[in-house]
Amino acid sequence: MFFKKKLPETSEIENLIKEQKYFLSETEIPNITFIGFVNVVIFKDTFQLLWNPGQYINYENDLIHRVRAEIKKEDIISVSVILNPDITLLFNETYDAFSTRHFSEFKIIHKDPFGIVPNFKTVIRHSQSYWIKALTVYCESNFGLKCQVTENNKTINP
């Protein structure tokens, strides 16, 4: 395991992760027609990327209508992580795939569940490397994946 040998209770780390806004900067999943901030909800064997425009997601209410992508554990081929220095987000700033290119990155290569193409690439980013590390720790300990991690220590001025 890359970061930490002992994790907190699984439900604790899942709750910490799902409360964060990650940036879905790229995906090849055909039914995803947007890039933008998403919540990542992790179940025992599934990643779900949830999107709710203009408001925070209430997890107590109907999740089904907000699920835009689901990546099953058995469909994950590889995960690569790039850790960059933390960046402070500006409240009134607009973010897109270009402006988030210096965020820390969690890239998943996963199978097409319908077998039409060999695989898809989905890239999730966060301005704070801690939350990408949390996803990495979770994947390594609960999904049994070996994540390739690269640290990028250069100074960034977005």
Side-chain angles (χ1 to χ4, degrees):
M1 188 181 312
F2 181 74
F3 296 106
K4 188 176 179 182
K5 297 290 183 207
K6 185 169 179 349
L7 282 175
E9 284 289 318
T10 299
S11 60
E12 287 180 50
I13 197 164
E14 288 171 356
N15 286 335
L16 288 172
I17 290 170
K18 79 178 182 181
E19 291 170 2
Q20 289 300 307
K21 287 287 189 187
Y22 291 85
F23 193 85
L24 176 63
S25 63
E26 179 181 350
T27 188
E28 296 169 344
I29 300 172
N31 64 332
I32 305 295
T33 59
F34 72 94
I35 59 168
F37 286 99
V38 295
N39 291 90
V40 177
V41 177
I42 303 172
F43 294 101
K44 182 178 179 181
D45 60 354
T46 306
F47 271 82
Q48 289 186 347
L49 304 177
L50 307 177
W51 179 64
N52 191 11
Q55 58 183 307
Y56 288 100
I57 293 171
N58 181 348
Y59 293 97
E60 306 304 321
N61 292 332
D62 188 10
L63 287 176
I64 302 300
H65 298 292
R66 293 183 177 99
V67 174
R68 294 289 189 243
E70 183 174 276
I71 303 170
K72 295 184 179 182
K73 171 183 166 180
E74 64 267 14
D75 290 341
I76 297 174
I77 298 167
S78 68
V79 174
S80 60
V81 174
I82 298 173
L83 299 174
N84 285 316
D86 292 351
I87 297 172
T88 302
L89 294 180
L90 301 174
F91 180 70
N92 60 352
E93 189 74 24
T94 302
Y95 294 94
D96 58 25
F98 182 75
S99 64
T100 62
R101 70 191 181 284
H102 295 303
F103 286 14
S104 292
E105 178 179 285
F106 188 87
K107 179 170 58 175
I108 307 168
I109 304 297
H110 50 102
K111 295 177 189 171
D112 174 358
F114 303 106
I116 296 170
V117 297
N119 56 54
F120 297 132
K121 173 175 61 174
T122 299
V123 179
I124 303 164
R125 294 182 174 150
H126 201 287
S127 62
Q128 296 177 340
S129 63
Y130 179 87
W131 297 110
I132 297 299
K133 290 176 186 178
L135 283 176
T136 304
V137 168
Y138 188 89
C139 281
E140 288 185 340
S141 64
N142 289 29
F143 284 9
L145 296 172
K146 178 69 178 141
C147 301
Q148 178 187 356
V149 179
T150 304
E151 279 198 75
N152 184 353
N153 291 319
K154 68 181 178 181
T155 304
I156 297 172
N157 295 325

